[in-house]
């Protein structure tokens, strides 16, 4: 009987978690899953509720493995829920960037796969922002134009003097497949933003040749701190 | 074996419990104890890491692990639930006689067809294990089930489309991916089908020779009674729920390991050790096993290596990952005996390596 009770609790917890993500927890879901797949979470909640409904009305099965042997495997099922407590503060940052960027033998980050897969990573309507994906894909044609980007910044001793990396992550399905997309921006006069801070940088675009790679460079006129976007990823 | 009710009386409502005298679904004592200790060890590590995450020095790393872990779970678990549901519906609504007619024909033909089943039933690797468990329970031959298990997450339309998008609609890439995935799955299925059978390859509860396939003797899962449809649906959900509890914790452990690897191992570790194409192929195969990416997303990661690694290495990553990764290896424990899992872990990478070396040798500029 305790096994059945535990199983029902696990089903209820997961169903509740999925329901919360799909409703009140969307700001957290946006940091985990591509919006095109949010239906999965709703689907998961529905299936789990169905399981819970049938299990609540189910006659007690005979011959089951005793709770003594089952409880560790049942408890394992709630481990991901325990990690939810990290969600409010957990963020991809410059360490993630350095760890995921492909680098050449000399340690220079390679732009990697940057062509937009669809128009989805365009900047929000009503803003003058240009997405990092578009800047990478159309750097040559946009060169010389005024652009505005929203991104996280990273300063590093390995970078050319006076430049910062302006980066975001592109996801295909979920955060586990996130790949960094980046450009260079010139450091502003005065205080340089801290690593991983979100900024809105405005300036003129050019193409910077760096160790054999052509990387878009924004020569900044203004760099202002910015609130983290509701959906931090590019698609 | 399921008893088929041949009388005119409606079939009894399924109670879903073993008949008196049926063997209890218990693991051998040593395996059970090892699994128990292993589970406790995992719980201890997961808890320790979570506690370390509260310290400032560890917060960033554990935060990254938490995002990756939860992202994989939030994406994979619904797919696994859908797979469990499909498996439950197969268990209850697909009569064993249909399966017998469909696959108990010529052995090679059954394997060849099983490799294409993903085109009709497009499931990713998270969903496929519960479906294969139920198909095996229905009496599908081991060779055909293995072929579907390996080919299903690659030979399907969704994977073809995502691969084409990742490679800028160069349709040669999905064609090679699906083609090589199909060939490897069929070869491995036929090969392992020669060495293994249901008795030495499957855990006892999935061998249809035993009555625990369904857990309840005397239930035909059929009867065709309108009034019992709801009961049968409920029954299918009960099976599906059991699959969730039977496979789900393997998924959690696999996702956790994948999150650790994804958060700790730098990508350039792989790209810096490349002196020859065969090394690149081997390294990308290792990466496929460690990263545990969804078969619908891995093409985008592989494509990021264009210009850095040879096409054969990118292809090795896309073909091996959906067939064999850490999470899948753990999930295989819920249906196969360890010796079959070891055989899979040896033959699948070997087959992928040979095919990719062949691609590199004869078509070096194909991709």
């Amino acid at each position: 009987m305790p096994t059945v009770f535990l199983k029902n609790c696990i089903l209820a917890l997961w169903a509740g978690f999925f329901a919360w993500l799909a409703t009140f927890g969307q700001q957290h879901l946006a940091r985990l899953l591509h919006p095109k797949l949010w239906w999965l979470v709703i689907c998961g909640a529905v299936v789990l509720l169905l399981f819970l409904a049938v299990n609540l009305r189910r006659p007690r099965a005979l011959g089951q493995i005793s709770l003594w042997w089952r409880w560790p495997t049942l408890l394992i099922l709630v481990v991901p829920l325990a990690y939810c407590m990290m969600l409010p503060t957990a963020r991809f940052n410059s360490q993630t960037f350095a760890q995921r960027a492909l680098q050449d033998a000399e340690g220079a980050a390679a732009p990697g796969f940057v062509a937009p897969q669809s128009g989805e990573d365009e900047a929000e309507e009503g803003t003058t922002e240009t997405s990092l994906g578009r800047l990478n894909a159309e750097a040559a044609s946009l060169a010389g134009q005024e652009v505005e980007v929203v991104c996280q910044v990273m300063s590093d001793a390995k970078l050319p003097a006076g430049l910062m990396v302006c980066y975001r992550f592109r996801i295909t399905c979920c955060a586990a497949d996130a790949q960094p997309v980046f450009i260079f921006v010139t450091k502003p006069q005065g205080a340089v933003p801290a690593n991983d801070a979100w900024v809105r940088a405005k300036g003129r675009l050019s193409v910077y040749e760096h160790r054999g790679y052509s990387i878009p460079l924004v020569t900044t006129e203004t760099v202002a701190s910015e609130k983290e976007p509701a959906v931090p990823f590019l698609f | 074996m399921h008893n088929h009710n041949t009388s005119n009386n409606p079939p009894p409502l399924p109670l879903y419990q073993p008949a008196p005298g049926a063997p209890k679904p218990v693991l051998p004592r040593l395996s059970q104890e090892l699994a128990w200790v292993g589970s406790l060890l995992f719980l201890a590590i997961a808890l320790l890491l979570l506690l370390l995450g509260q310290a400032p020095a560890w917060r960033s790393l554990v935060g990254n692990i938490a995002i990756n872990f939860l992202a994989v779970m939030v994406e994979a678990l619904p797919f696994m639930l859908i797979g469990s549901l499909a498996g439950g519906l197969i268990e209850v609504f697909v009569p064993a006689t249909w399966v017998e007619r469909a696959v108990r024909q010529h052995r090679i033909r059954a394997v060849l067809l099983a490799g294409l089943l993903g085109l009709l039933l497009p499931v990713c690797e998270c969903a496929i294990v519960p479906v294969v468990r139920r198909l095996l329970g229905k009496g599908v031959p081991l060779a055909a089930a293995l072929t579907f298990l390996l080919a299903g997450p690659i030979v399907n339309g969704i994977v073809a489309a995502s691969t084409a998008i990742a490679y800028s609609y160069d349709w040669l890439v999905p064609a090679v991916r699906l083609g090589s995935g199909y060939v490897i799955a069929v070869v491995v299925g036929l090969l392992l089908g020669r060495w293994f059978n249901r008795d030495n390859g499957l855990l006892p509860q999935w061998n249809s020779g035993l009555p625990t396939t369904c857990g309840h003797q005397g239930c035909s899962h059929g009867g065709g009674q309108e009034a019992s449809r709801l009961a049968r649906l409920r029954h299918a959900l009960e099976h599906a729920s059991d699959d969730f509890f039977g496979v789900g914790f393997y998924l959690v452990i696999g996702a956790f390991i994948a999150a650790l690897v994804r958060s700790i191992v730098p990508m350039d570790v792989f790209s810096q050790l490349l002196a020859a194409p065969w090394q690149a192929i081997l390294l990308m195969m290792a990466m496929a096993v460690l990263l545990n990416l969804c078969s619908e997303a891995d093409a985008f990661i592989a494509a990021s290596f264009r210009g850095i690694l040879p096409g054969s290495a990118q292809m090795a990553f896309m073909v091996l990952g959906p067939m064999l990764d850490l999470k899948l290896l753990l999930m295989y424990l819920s249906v196969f005996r360890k010796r079959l899992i070891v055989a899979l872990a040896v033959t699948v990478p070997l087959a992928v390596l040979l095919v990719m070396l062949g691609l590199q040798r004869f078509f070096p500029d194909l991709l």
Side-chain angles (χ1 to χ4, degrees), chain B residues 72-83:
Chain B
V72 173
M73 284 306 301
V74 166
E75 188 196 10
L77 189 63
F79 276 122
M80 204 208 82
L81 289 166
I82 293 167

Side-chain angles (χ1 to χ4, degrees), chain A residues 78-162:
Chain A
V78 294
V79 167
L81 302 178
Y83 272 74
C84 286
M85 62 190 277
M86 299 293 296
L87 269 183
T89 54
R91 296 287 184 276
F92 280 167
N93 52 22
S94 49
Q95 286 179 23
T96 322
F97 176 86
Q99 188 239 342
R100 294 202 179 181
L102 290 175
Q103 294 176 11
D104 63 17
E106 293 170 339
F113 177 67
V114 290
Q117 297 143 27
S118 65
E120 288 178 72
D121 71 339
E122 291 303 313
E124 287 174 32
E125 280 180 30
T127 70
T128 51
E129 185 190 330
T130 312
S131 79
L132 294 190
R134 186 169 170 229
L135 287 183
N136 269 287
E138 300 171 26
S141 60
L142 292 172
Q145 292 185 24
E146 286 283 333
V147 294
E148 185 176 328
V149 289
V150 173
C151 58
Q152 287 176 279
V153 289
M154 181 184 81
S155 299
D156 189 282
K158 277 194 270 183
L159 291 170

Side-chain angles (χ1 to χ4, degrees), chain B residues 14-366:
Chain B
L15 289 176
Y16 193 28
Q17 58 186 32
K24 284 185 177 184
V26 290
L27 298 166
R29 186 84 181 177
L30 182 62
S31 294
Q32 198 171 38
E33 285 170 356
L34 281 175
W36 192 82
V37 171
S39 301
L40 281 187
L41 192 64
F42 171 78
L43 284 170
I45 292 169
L47 184 65
L48 181 68
L49 202 60
L50 191 60
L51 292 174
L52 280 174
Q54 308 310 308
W58 287 77
R59 195 165 293 149
S60 171
L61 176 64
V62 179
N64 263 264
I65 293 169
I67 293 176
N68 286 313
F69 183 33
L70 286 167
V72 173
M73 284 306 301
V74 166
E75 188 196 10
L77 189 63
F79 276 122
M80 204 208 82
L81 289 166
I82 293 167
S84 301
L85 206 53
L89 293 172
I90 288 170
E91 178 68 32
V92 173
F93 288 99
V94 177
T97 47
W98 287 14
V99 177
E100 276 177 31
R101 269 206 302 273
V103 296
R104 285 193 178 170
Q105 40 175 309
H106 192 263
R107 182 172 151 268
I108 294 177
R109 200 181 308 151
V111 168
L112 293 174
L113 285 175
L116 297 172
L117 203 54
L119 295 172
L120 296 175
L121 199 66
V123 285
C124 66
E125 70 268 30
C126 301
I128 203 155
V129 174
V131 175
V132 166
R133 275 162 46 122
R134 292 296 168 188
L135 287 174
L136 283 164
K138 281 283 168 191
V140 168
L142 183 62
L146 284 175
T147 307
F148 174 55
L149 179 78
L150 299 175
I154 298 177
V155 186
N156 73 59
I158 298 168
V159 171
S162 71
T163 310
I165 292 167
Y167 282 86
S168 312
Y169 293 98
D170 177 358
W171 287 96
L172 184 62
V173 182
V176 174
R177 184 182 190 187
L178 270 63
S180 49
Y182 177 77
V183 169
I184 290 166
V186 165
V187 169
V188 172
L190 287 173
L191 209 60
L192 295 188
R194 281 198 162 277
W195 298 333
F196 291 93
N197 53 42
R198 304 179 66 88
D199 290 329
N200 64 7
L202 297 183
L203 293 177
Q205 58 266 40
W206 298 106
N207 188 339
S208 62
L210 289 175
T212 49
T213 298
C214 171
H216 56 282
Q217 276 183 306
C219 166
S220 66
H221 285 150
Q225 303 285 319
E226 290 294 321
S228 69
R229 276 209 183 131
L230 197 62
R232 292 168 71 197
L233 189 62
R234 209 182 80 196
H235 196 167
L237 286 167
E238 287 172 358
H239 280 302
S241 163
D242 285 351
D243 279 349
F244 165 69
F245 286 106
V247 181
F249 69 97
Y250 291 117
L251 179 69
V252 173
I253 298 171
F256 187 80
I257 296 169
L260 280 181
V261 172
R262 197 78 179 106
S263 308
I264 293 169
V265 181
M267 288 283 275
D268 63 302
V269 161
F270 297 98
S271 57
Q272 283 180 4
L273 298 170
L274 309 171
W278 68 269
Q279 279 186 359
I281 293 170
L282 280 178
L283 283 165
M284 289 300 276
M285 285 169 60
M287 198 160 97
V289 174
L290 292 173
L291 291 188
N292 298 257
L293 293 170
C294 179
S295 60
E296 285 147 29
D298 57 4
F300 296 94
I301 304 294
S304 68
F305 285 91
R306 275 187 304 183
I308 297 172
L309 298 181
S312 54
Q314 296 166 46
M315 193 54 69
F317 179 80
M318 290 189 286
V319 173
L320 182 62
M323 293 184 175
L324 197 84
D325 60 30
L326 287 175
K327 150 184 107 240
L328 277 172
L329 277 172
L330 288 164
M331 290 169 89
Y332 290 166
L333 285 169
S334 70
V335 60
F336 300 128
R337 287 182 189 272
K338 290 188 187 75
R339 69 191 79 153
L340 176 53
I341 297 174
V342 171
L344 276 169
V346 171
T347 51
V348 172
L350 199 62
V352 172
L353 179 65
L354 290 174
V355 169
M356 296 311 149
L357 286 175
L359 266 183
Q360 180 63 35
R361 174 78 178 78
F362 298 108
F363 307 100
D365 302 319
L366 188 66

